[in-house]
Amino acid sequence: MPDEVPVAETTNAVPLPQAVSTYPEPTQDRHRRDALALTIAAAAWFLPGLGHALLKMWGRALVCFSAVALLVILGAGMRGNIFSRNGEDAFAKLGYVADLGAGSFYFVAKALEPTGPDVSHANGDYGTRLLATAGVLNMLAALHAYEVARARKA
Amino acid sequence: MMHPYELRLSHFQAMVIFALVISIAFGFLSRRGAYKRAKYILWSFILFLLIGVGIGWAMYPFSR
């Protein structure tokens, strides 16, 4: 056909830069990134702040570590209840999951309470809440580190 | 006998420390940039305290 012209001469389209390419990521790279993200999440759970430190997010790492450490020290100091694996009811089991969220700090809290909990006063009850909060906060931080490692969040 | 390490905090002290620590952690996790973080931490801290005191007063009629 005489009217037909090459496409390159009729379009002003600019080639897409590499960063916004719509091509899917190779499966091997995706698997590697997923494995790395899971490792970072496990590290973040085990030692609060370590996940963000591995991602070179120093401020967040320091804050996560300090916040969880402070909550555990206060909670144990107020003689809050540290739940064990042999919980009698659903609340005790949930409390164990929340406390275990603090990773290695769960054992730090146990070591800081040689005489055991005392929830006969409101003080001990508040301590229980602070310990559970430390665990849940650390799980949230680990999830954040996982999402960052998977490049879903900044 | 009080344990040497045992801490005794009043209700208000425990609430303020809790609100401050959680606000700072949330601010650092959810915002980027010093200004945005500071604004978020301040708002979160104030709201924690206001809502805590508000719930306390809402429960007051049923406390006896």
Coordinates of all heavy atoms in Angstrom, one line a residue, chain B residues 8-51:
Chain B
R8 N 6.4 1.2 90.8 CA 5.0 1.6 91.2 C 4.7 2.9 90.4 O 5.3 3.9 90.7 CB 4.9 1.8 92.7 CG 4.9 0.5 93.5 CD 3.5 -0.1 93.4 NE 3.6 -1.5 93.8 CZ 3.4 -2.0 95.1 NH1 3.2 -1.1 96.0 NH2 3.4 -3.3 95.3
L9 N 3.8 2.8 89.5 CA 3.4 3.9 88.7 C 1.9 4.2 89.0 O 1.1 3.3 89.2 CB 3.6 3.7 87.2 CG 5.0 3.5 86.7 CD1 5.0 3.2 85.2 CD2 5.9 4.7 87.0
S10 N 1.5 5.5 89.0 CA 0.1 5.8 89.1 C -0.6 5.5 87.8 O 0.0 5.3 86.8 CB -0.1 7.3 89.5 OG 0.3 8.1 88.4
H11 N -1.9 5.5 87.8 CA -2.7 5.2 86.6 C -2.3 6.2 85.5 O -2.1 5.9 84.3 CB -4.2 5.3 86.9 CG -4.7 4.3 87.9 ND1 -6.0 3.9 87.9 CD2 -4.1 3.7 88.8 CE1 -6.2 3.1 88.9 NE2 -5.0 2.9 89.5
F12 N -2.2 7.5 85.9 CA -2.0 8.5 84.9 C -0.5 8.4 84.3 O -0.3 8.5 83.1 CB -2.2 9.9 85.5 CG -2.1 11.0 84.5 CD1 -3.2 11.2 83.6 CD2 -1.0 11.9 84.5 CE1 -3.1 12.2 82.7 CE2 -1.0 12.9 83.5 CZ -2.0 13.1 82.6
Q13 N 0.4 8.1 85.2 CA 1.8 8.0 84.8 C 1.9 6.8 83.8 O 2.6 6.9 82.7 CB 2.7 7.7 85.9 CG 3.0 8.9 86.8 CD 3.8 8.5 88.1 OE1 3.6 7.4 88.6 NE2 4.6 9.4 88.6
A14 N 1.3 5.7 84.1 CA 1.3 4.5 83.2 C 0.7 4.9 81.8 O 1.2 4.5 80.8 CB 0.6 3.3 83.8
M15 N -0.4 5.6 81.9 CA -1.1 6.0 80.6 C -0.2 6.9 79.8 O -0.1 6.8 78.6 CB -2.4 6.7 80.9 CG -3.2 7.0 79.7 SD -4.8 7.7 80.0 CE -4.4 9.3 80.5
V16 N 0.4 7.9 80.4 CA 1.2 8.9 79.7 C 2.4 8.2 79.0 O 2.7 8.4 77.9 CB 1.7 10.0 80.6 CG1 2.8 10.8 80.0 CG2 0.5 10.9 81.0
I17 N 3.1 7.3 79.8 CA 4.3 6.6 79.2 C 3.8 5.7 78.1 O 4.5 5.7 77.0 CB 5.0 5.8 80.4 CG1 5.6 6.7 81.3 CG2 6.0 4.8 79.8 CD1 6.2 6.0 82.6
F18 N 2.7 5.0 78.3 CA 2.2 4.1 77.2 C 1.9 4.9 75.9 O 2.4 4.6 74.8 CB 0.9 3.4 77.7 CG 0.3 2.6 76.7 CD1 0.6 1.3 76.5 CD2 -0.7 3.1 75.9 CE1 0.0 0.5 75.5 CE2 -1.4 2.3 74.9 CZ -1.0 1.0 74.7
A19 N 1.2 6.0 76.1 CA 0.8 6.9 75.0 C 2.0 7.5 74.3 O 2.1 7.5 73.0 CB -0.1 8.0 75.5
L20 N 3.0 7.9 75.0 CA 4.2 8.5 74.4 C 5.0 7.4 73.6 O 5.4 7.7 72.5 CB 5.1 9.1 75.6 CG 6.3 9.9 75.1 CD1 5.8 11.1 74.4 CD2 7.1 10.3 76.3
V21 N 5.2 6.3 74.2 CA 6.0 5.2 73.5 C 5.4 4.8 72.3 O 6.0 4.7 71.2 CB 6.3 4.1 74.5 CG1 7.0 2.9 73.8 CG2 7.2 4.5 75.7
I22 N 4.1 4.5 72.4 CA 3.3 4.0 71.2 C 3.2 5.1 70.1 O 3.3 4.8 68.9 CB 1.9 3.5 71.6 CG1 2.1 2.4 72.6 CG2 1.1 3.1 70.4 CD1 2.8 1.2 72.1
S23 N 3.0 6.3 70.5 CA 2.9 7.4 69.5 C 4.2 7.6 68.8 O 4.2 7.7 67.5 CB 2.6 8.8 70.2 OG 1.4 8.7 70.8
I24 N 5.3 7.5 69.5 CA 6.7 7.6 68.8 C 6.9 6.5 67.8 O 7.3 6.7 66.7 CB 7.8 7.7 69.8 CG1 7.7 9.1 70.6 CG2 9.2 7.6 69.2 CD1 8.6 9.2 71.8
A25 N 6.6 5.3 68.3 CA 6.8 4.1 67.4 C 5.9 4.2 66.2 O 6.3 3.9 65.1 CB 6.5 2.8 68.2
F26 N 4.6 4.5 66.4 CA 3.7 4.6 65.2 C 4.2 5.7 64.3 O 4.1 5.6 63.1 CB 2.3 4.9 65.7 CG 1.5 3.7 66.2 CD1 2.1 2.4 66.2 CD2 0.2 3.8 66.6 CE1 1.5 1.3 66.7 CE2 -0.5 2.7 67.0 CZ 0.1 1.4 67.1
G27 N 4.6 6.8 64.9 CA 5.0 8.0 64.0 C 6.2 7.6 63.2 O 6.2 7.9 62.0
F28 N 7.2 6.9 63.7 CA 8.4 6.5 63.0 C 8.0 5.4 61.9 O 8.6 5.4 60.9 CB 9.5 6.0 63.9 CG 10.4 7.1 64.3 CD1 10.0 8.0 65.3 CD2 11.6 7.2 63.7 CE1 10.9 9.0 65.6 CE2 12.5 8.3 64.1 CZ 12.1 9.2 65.0
L29 N 7.1 4.5 62.3 CA 6.8 3.4 61.3 C 5.9 3.9 60.2 O 6.0 3.4 59.1 CB 6.0 2.3 62.1 CG 6.9 1.4 62.9 CD1 6.1 0.3 63.6 CD2 8.0 0.7 62.0
S30 N 5.0 4.9 60.4 CA 4.0 5.2 59.4 C 4.3 6.5 58.6 O 3.7 6.7 57.6 CB 2.6 5.3 60.0 OG 2.6 6.4 60.9
R31 N 5.3 7.3 59.1 CA 5.5 8.6 58.4 C 7.0 8.7 58.0 O 7.9 8.1 58.7 CB 5.1 9.8 59.2 CG 3.6 9.9 59.5 CD 2.9 10.3 58.3 NE 1.5 10.5 58.5 CZ 0.5 9.6 58.4 NH1 0.9 8.3 58.1 NH2 -0.7 9.8 58.7
R32 N 7.3 9.5 57.0 CA 8.7 9.8 56.6 C 8.9 11.3 56.7 O 8.0 12.0 56.4 CB 9.0 9.3 55.2 CG 8.8 7.8 55.0 CD 9.2 7.4 53.6 NE 10.7 7.3 53.6 CZ 11.4 6.9 52.6 NH1 10.8 6.6 51.5 NH2 12.7 6.7 52.7
G33 N 10.0 11.7 57.1 CA 10.3 13.1 57.2 C 10.1 13.6 58.7 O 9.1 13.2 59.3
A34 N 11.0 14.4 59.1 CA 10.9 14.9 60.5 C 9.6 15.6 60.9 O 9.0 15.4 61.9 CB 12.1 15.7 60.9
Y35 N 9.2 16.5 60.0 CA 8.0 17.3 60.3 C 6.8 16.5 60.3 O 6.0 16.6 61.3 CB 7.9 18.4 59.2 CG 6.7 19.3 59.4 CD1 6.6 20.2 60.4 CD2 5.6 19.1 58.5 CE1 5.4 20.9 60.6 CE2 4.4 19.8 58.7 CZ 4.3 20.8 59.7 OH 3.2 21.5 59.9
K36 N 6.6 15.6 59.3 CA 5.4 14.8 59.3 C 5.4 13.8 60.5 O 4.3 13.6 61.1 CB 5.3 14.0 58.0 CG 4.9 14.7 56.8 CD 4.8 13.9 55.6 CE 4.3 14.7 54.4 NZ 4.3 13.9 53.2
R37 N 6.5 13.3 60.9 CA 6.6 12.4 62.0 C 6.2 13.2 63.3 O 5.5 12.7 64.1 CB 8.0 11.9 62.2 CG 8.2 10.7 61.3 CD 9.6 10.1 61.4 NE 9.8 9.0 60.5 CZ 10.9 8.4 60.2 NH1 12.0 8.9 60.7 NH2 11.0 7.4 59.4
A38 N 6.8 14.4 63.5 CA 6.6 15.1 64.7 C 5.1 15.5 64.8 O 4.5 15.4 65.9 CB 7.4 16.4 64.7
K39 N 4.5 15.9 63.7 CA 3.1 16.2 63.7 C 2.2 15.0 64.1 O 1.3 15.1 64.9 CB 2.7 16.7 62.3 CG 1.4 17.4 62.2 CD 1.2 18.0 60.8 CE -0.2 18.1 60.4 NZ -0.4 18.4 59.0
Y40 N 2.5 13.9 63.5 CA 1.8 12.6 63.8 C 1.9 12.2 65.2 O 1.0 11.9 65.9 CB 2.3 11.5 62.8 CG 1.5 10.2 63.0 CD1 0.4 10.0 62.2 CD2 1.9 9.3 63.9 CE1 -0.3 8.8 62.3 CE2 1.2 8.1 64.1 CZ 0.1 7.9 63.2 OH -0.6 6.7 63.4
I41 N 3.2 12.3 65.7 CA 3.4 11.9 67.1 C 2.7 12.8 68.1 O 2.0 12.3 69.0 CB 5.0 11.9 67.4 CG1 5.7 10.8 66.7 CG2 5.3 11.8 68.9 CD1 7.2 10.9 66.6
L42 N 2.7 14.1 67.8 CA 2.0 15.0 68.7 C 0.5 14.7 68.7 O -0.1 14.6 69.8 CB 2.3 16.4 68.3 CG 1.9 17.5 69.3 CD1 2.7 17.4 70.5 CD2 2.1 18.9 68.7
W43 N -0.1 14.6 67.5 CA -1.5 14.4 67.4 C -1.9 13.1 68.1 O -2.9 13.0 68.8 CB -1.9 14.4 66.0 CG -2.4 15.7 65.5 CD1 -1.9 16.5 64.6 CD2 -3.6 16.4 65.9 NE1 -2.6 17.6 64.4 CE2 -3.7 17.6 65.2 CE3 -4.6 16.1 66.9 CZ2 -4.7 18.5 65.4 CZ3 -5.7 17.0 67.1 CH2 -5.7 18.2 66.3
S44 N -1.1 12.0 67.8 CA -1.4 10.7 68.3 C -1.4 10.7 69.9 O -2.2 10.2 70.6 CB -0.4 9.7 67.8 OG -0.6 8.5 68.3
F45 N -0.3 11.4 70.4 CA -0.2 11.5 71.8 C -1.3 12.2 72.5 O -1.9 11.7 73.5 CB 1.2 12.2 72.1 CG 1.5 12.3 73.6 CD1 1.7 11.2 74.4 CD2 1.5 13.6 74.2 CE1 2.0 11.3 75.7 CE2 1.8 13.7 75.5 CZ 2.0 12.6 76.3
I46 N -1.7 13.3 71.9 CA -2.8 14.1 72.5 C -4.1 13.3 72.4 O -4.9 13.3 73.4 CB -3.0 15.5 71.7 CG1 -1.8 16.4 72.1 CG2 -4.2 16.2 72.1 CD1 -1.7 17.6 71.2
L47 N -4.3 12.6 71.3 CA -5.6 11.9 71.2 C -5.6 10.7 72.1 O -6.7 10.4 72.7 CB -5.8 11.4 69.7 CG -6.2 12.5 68.7 CD1 -6.2 12.0 67.3 CD2 -7.5 13.1 69.1
F48 N -4.5 10.0 72.3 CA -4.4 8.9 73.3 C -4.8 9.4 74.7 O -5.7 8.8 75.3 CB -3.0 8.4 73.4 CG -2.7 7.1 72.6 CD1 -1.7 7.1 71.7 CD2 -3.5 6.0 72.8 CE1 -1.4 5.9 70.9 CE2 -3.2 4.8 72.1 CZ -2.2 4.8 71.2
L49 N -4.3 10.6 75.1 CA -4.6 11.1 76.4 C -6.0 11.5 76.5 O -6.7 11.2 77.5 CB -3.6 12.3 76.7 CG -2.2 12.0 76.9 CD1 -1.4 13.2 77.5 CD2 -2.0 10.8 77.8
L50 N -6.5 12.3 75.5 CA -7.9 12.8 75.6 C -8.9 11.6 75.6 O -9.8 11.6 76.4 CB -8.2 13.7 74.4 CG -7.6 15.1 74.4 CD1 -7.9 15.9 73.2 CD2 -8.1 15.8 75.7
I51 N -8.7 10.6 74.7 CA -9.6 9.5 74.7 C -9.5 8.7 75.9 O -10.5 8.2 76.5 CB -9.3 8.7 73.4 CG1 -9.7 9.5 72.1 CG2 -10.1 7.4 73.4 CD1 -9.3 8.9 70.8

